[in-house]
Short mmCIF file of all heavy atoms in Angstrom, two decimals:
data_model
loop_
_atom_site.label_atom_id
_atom_site.label_comp_id
_atom_site.label_asym_id
_atom_site.label_seq_id
_atom_site.Cartn_x
_atom_site.Cartn_y
_atom_site.Cartn_z
N LYS B 151 84.57 -52.43 45.78
CA LYS B 151 83.43 -51.95 45.01
C LYS B 151 83.82 -51.11 43.80
O LYS B 151 83.17 -51.16 42.77
CB LYS B 151 82.50 -51.12 45.91
CG LYS B 151 81.87 -51.94 47.03
CD LYS B 151 80.93 -51.10 47.86
CE LYS B 151 80.26 -51.94 48.95
NZ LYS B 151 79.33 -51.13 49.78
N SER B 152 84.89 -50.33 43.93
CA SER B 152 85.22 -49.41 42.85
C SER B 152 86.30 -49.98 41.94
O SER B 152 87.05 -50.89 42.32
CB SER B 152 85.69 -48.07 43.43
OG SER B 152 86.96 -48.22 44.04
N LEU B 153 86.38 -49.38 40.74
CA LEU B 153 87.40 -49.78 39.78
C LEU B 153 88.79 -49.51 40.35
O LEU B 153 89.73 -50.28 40.14
CB LEU B 153 87.19 -49.02 38.48
CG LEU B 153 88.19 -49.29 37.34
CD1 LEU B 153 88.16 -50.75 36.95
CD2 LEU B 153 87.88 -48.40 36.15
N PHE B 156 89.74 -52.31 42.68
CA PHE B 156 90.09 -53.50 41.91
C PHE B 156 91.53 -53.38 41.41
O PHE B 156 92.32 -54.32 41.50
CB PHE B 156 89.15 -53.64 40.71
CG PHE B 156 87.89 -54.41 41.02
CD1 PHE B 156 87.09 -54.05 42.08
CD2 PHE B 156 87.52 -55.49 40.25
CE1 PHE B 156 85.93 -54.75 42.37
CE2 PHE B 156 86.37 -56.21 40.53
CZ PHE B 156 85.55 -55.82 41.59
N LYS B 280 91.37 -55.85 26.18
CA LYS B 280 89.91 -55.91 26.25
C LYS B 280 89.34 -55.66 24.86
O LYS B 280 89.68 -54.66 24.23
CB LYS B 280 89.38 -54.87 27.24
CG LYS B 280 87.86 -54.88 27.39
CD LYS B 280 87.42 -53.83 28.40
CE LYS B 280 85.91 -53.84 28.54
NZ LYS B 280 85.44 -52.81 29.50
N SER B 315 89.80 -59.56 34.25
CA SER B 315 88.45 -59.92 33.81
C SER B 315 87.42 -59.39 34.80
O SER B 315 86.31 -58.99 34.43
CB SER B 315 88.31 -61.44 33.66
OG SER B 315 88.39 -62.09 34.92
N GLU B 316 87.80 -59.37 36.09
CA GLU B 316 86.92 -58.79 37.09
C GLU B 316 86.81 -57.27 36.90
O GLU B 316 85.75 -56.67 37.06
CB GLU B 316 87.45 -59.10 38.50
CG GLU B 316 87.47 -60.58 38.84
CD GLU B 316 86.07 -61.15 38.97
OE1 GLU B 316 85.16 -60.40 39.38
OE2 GLU B 316 85.87 -62.33 38.64
N ILE B 317 87.95 -56.64 36.57
CA ILE B 317 87.92 -55.19 36.30
C ILE B 317 87.01 -54.89 35.11
O ILE B 317 86.19 -53.97 35.15
CB ILE B 317 89.34 -54.67 36.02
CG1 ILE B 317 90.12 -54.58 37.33
CG2 ILE B 317 89.30 -53.28 35.38
CD1 ILE B 317 91.48 -53.95 37.19
N SER B 318 87.17 -55.68 34.04
CA SER B 318 86.33 -55.46 32.86
C SER B 318 84.86 -55.61 33.22
O SER B 318 84.01 -54.83 32.79
CB SER B 318 86.70 -56.45 31.75
OG SER B 318 88.03 -56.27 31.35
N GLY B 319 84.59 -56.65 34.02
CA GLY B 319 83.21 -56.85 34.45
C GLY B 319 82.69 -55.69 35.27
O GLY B 319 81.55 -55.26 35.13
N LYS B 320 83.58 -55.14 36.14
CA LYS B 320 83.18 -54.00 36.95
C LYS B 320 82.91 -52.78 36.07
O LYS B 320 81.92 -52.06 36.26
CB LYS B 320 84.29 -53.68 37.95
CG LYS B 320 83.93 -52.59 38.95
CD LYS B 320 82.81 -53.03 39.87
CE LYS B 320 82.50 -51.97 40.91
NZ LYS B 320 81.34 -52.34 41.75
N GLU B 321 83.79 -52.57 35.09
CA GLU B 321 83.58 -51.45 34.15
C GLU B 321 82.26 -51.59 33.42
O GLU B 321 81.47 -50.65 33.31
CB GLU B 321 84.72 -51.40 33.13
CG GLU B 321 85.83 -50.47 33.49
CD GLU B 321 86.76 -50.24 32.30
OE1 GLU B 321 86.91 -51.14 31.46
OE2 GLU B 321 87.34 -49.16 32.22
N GLU B 322 82.01 -52.81 32.93
CA GLU B 322 80.80 -53.04 32.16
C GLU B 322 79.56 -52.92 33.04
O GLU B 322 78.51 -52.45 32.59
CB GLU B 322 80.86 -54.42 31.50
CG GLU B 322 81.90 -54.49 30.38
CD GLU B 322 82.10 -55.90 29.86
OE1 GLU B 322 81.42 -56.80 30.39
OE2 GLU B 322 82.93 -56.09 28.95
N THR B 323 79.70 -53.33 34.33
CA THR B 323 78.57 -53.20 35.24
C THR B 323 78.23 -51.73 35.48
O THR B 323 77.07 -51.32 35.45
CB THR B 323 78.87 -53.88 36.59
OG1 THR B 323 79.09 -55.27 36.34
CG2 THR B 323 77.71 -53.71 37.56
N GLU B 324 79.29 -50.93 35.70
CA GLU B 324 79.06 -49.50 35.89
C GLU B 324 78.44 -48.88 34.65
O GLU B 324 77.51 -48.08 34.72
CB GLU B 324 80.37 -48.81 36.24
CG GLU B 324 80.91 -49.19 37.62
CD GLU B 324 82.25 -48.56 37.91
OE1 GLU B 324 82.81 -47.92 37.00
OE2 GLU B 324 82.74 -48.70 39.04
N ASP B 325 78.97 -49.26 33.47
CA ASP B 325 78.39 -48.77 32.22
C ASP B 325 76.96 -49.26 32.06
O ASP B 325 76.09 -48.53 31.59
CB ASP B 325 79.24 -49.24 31.03
CG ASP B 325 80.51 -48.45 30.89
OD1 ASP B 325 80.65 -47.42 31.58
OD2 ASP B 325 81.39 -48.86 30.11
N TYR B 326 76.73 -50.52 32.47
CA TYR B 326 75.40 -51.11 32.30
C TYR B 326 74.37 -50.37 33.14
O TYR B 326 73.26 -50.08 32.68
CB TYR B 326 75.44 -52.58 32.67
CG TYR B 326 74.12 -53.29 32.51
CD1 TYR B 326 73.64 -53.62 31.24
CD2 TYR B 326 73.34 -53.62 33.62
CE1 TYR B 326 72.43 -54.26 31.08
CE2 TYR B 326 72.13 -54.26 33.48
CZ TYR B 326 71.68 -54.59 32.20
OH TYR B 326 70.46 -55.21 32.04
N ASP B 327 74.73 -50.06 34.40
CA ASP B 327 73.80 -49.33 35.27
C ASP B 327 73.44 -47.98 34.65
O ASP B 327 72.27 -47.58 34.65
CB ASP B 327 74.43 -49.13 36.65
CG ASP B 327 74.58 -50.44 37.41
OD1 ASP B 327 73.90 -51.42 37.02
OD2 ASP B 327 75.38 -50.49 38.35
N TYR B 328 74.44 -47.28 34.14
CA TYR B 328 74.19 -45.99 33.51
C TYR B 328 73.38 -46.17 32.23
O TYR B 328 72.48 -45.38 31.92
CB TYR B 328 75.52 -45.30 33.23
CG TYR B 328 75.40 -43.88 32.72
CD1 TYR B 328 74.35 -43.05 33.10
CD2 TYR B 328 76.36 -43.34 31.88
CE1 TYR B 328 74.25 -41.75 32.66
CE2 TYR B 328 76.28 -42.04 31.42
CZ TYR B 328 75.22 -41.26 31.80
OH TYR B 328 75.11 -39.97 31.35
N GLN B 329 73.72 -47.23 31.49
CA GLN B 329 73.01 -47.50 30.24
C GLN B 329 71.53 -47.78 30.50
O GLN B 329 70.66 -47.32 29.74
CB GLN B 329 73.65 -48.70 29.54
CG GLN B 329 73.08 -48.98 28.16
CD GLN B 329 73.80 -50.13 27.47
OE1 GLN B 329 74.62 -50.80 28.08
NE2 GLN B 329 73.49 -50.36 26.23
N ILE B 330 71.24 -48.50 31.58
CA ILE B 330 69.84 -48.79 31.92
C ILE B 330 69.08 -47.50 32.23
O ILE B 330 67.95 -47.30 31.78
CB ILE B 330 69.76 -49.75 33.12
CG1 ILE B 330 70.22 -51.15 32.70
CG2 ILE B 330 68.35 -49.82 33.67
CD1 ILE B 330 69.38 -51.79 31.62
N SER B 331 69.74 -46.59 32.97
CA SER B 331 69.08 -45.32 33.28
C SER B 331 68.83 -44.51 32.02
O SER B 331 67.79 -43.86 31.87
CB SER B 331 69.92 -44.51 34.28
OG SER B 331 71.12 -44.06 33.69
N GLN B 491 80.69 -40.23 27.18
CA GLN B 491 80.87 -41.66 27.40
C GLN B 491 80.26 -42.45 26.25
O GLN B 491 79.32 -41.99 25.59
CB GLN B 491 80.23 -42.08 28.72
CG GLN B 491 80.84 -41.42 29.95
CD GLN B 491 80.25 -41.95 31.24
OE1 GLN B 491 79.95 -43.14 31.35
NE2 GLN B 491 80.08 -41.07 32.21
N VAL B 493 78.34 -44.99 26.33
CA VAL B 493 76.91 -45.29 26.51
C VAL B 493 76.05 -44.09 26.15
O VAL B 493 74.91 -44.25 25.67
CB VAL B 493 76.63 -45.74 27.96
CG1 VAL B 493 77.21 -47.10 28.22
CG2 VAL B 493 77.16 -44.74 28.97
#
Side-chain angles (χ1 to χ4, degrees):
K151 296 182 178 180
S152 70
L153 179 60
F156 272 53
K280 181 180 180 181
S315 68
E316 296 292 329
I317 285 185
S318 298
K320 186 66 177 175
E321 265 193 330
E322 290 171 0
T323 299
E324 291 176 354
D325 284 349
Y326 181 75
D327 292 342
Y328 187 31
Q329 185 177 8
I330 289 299
S331 68
Q491 298 185 37
V493 290

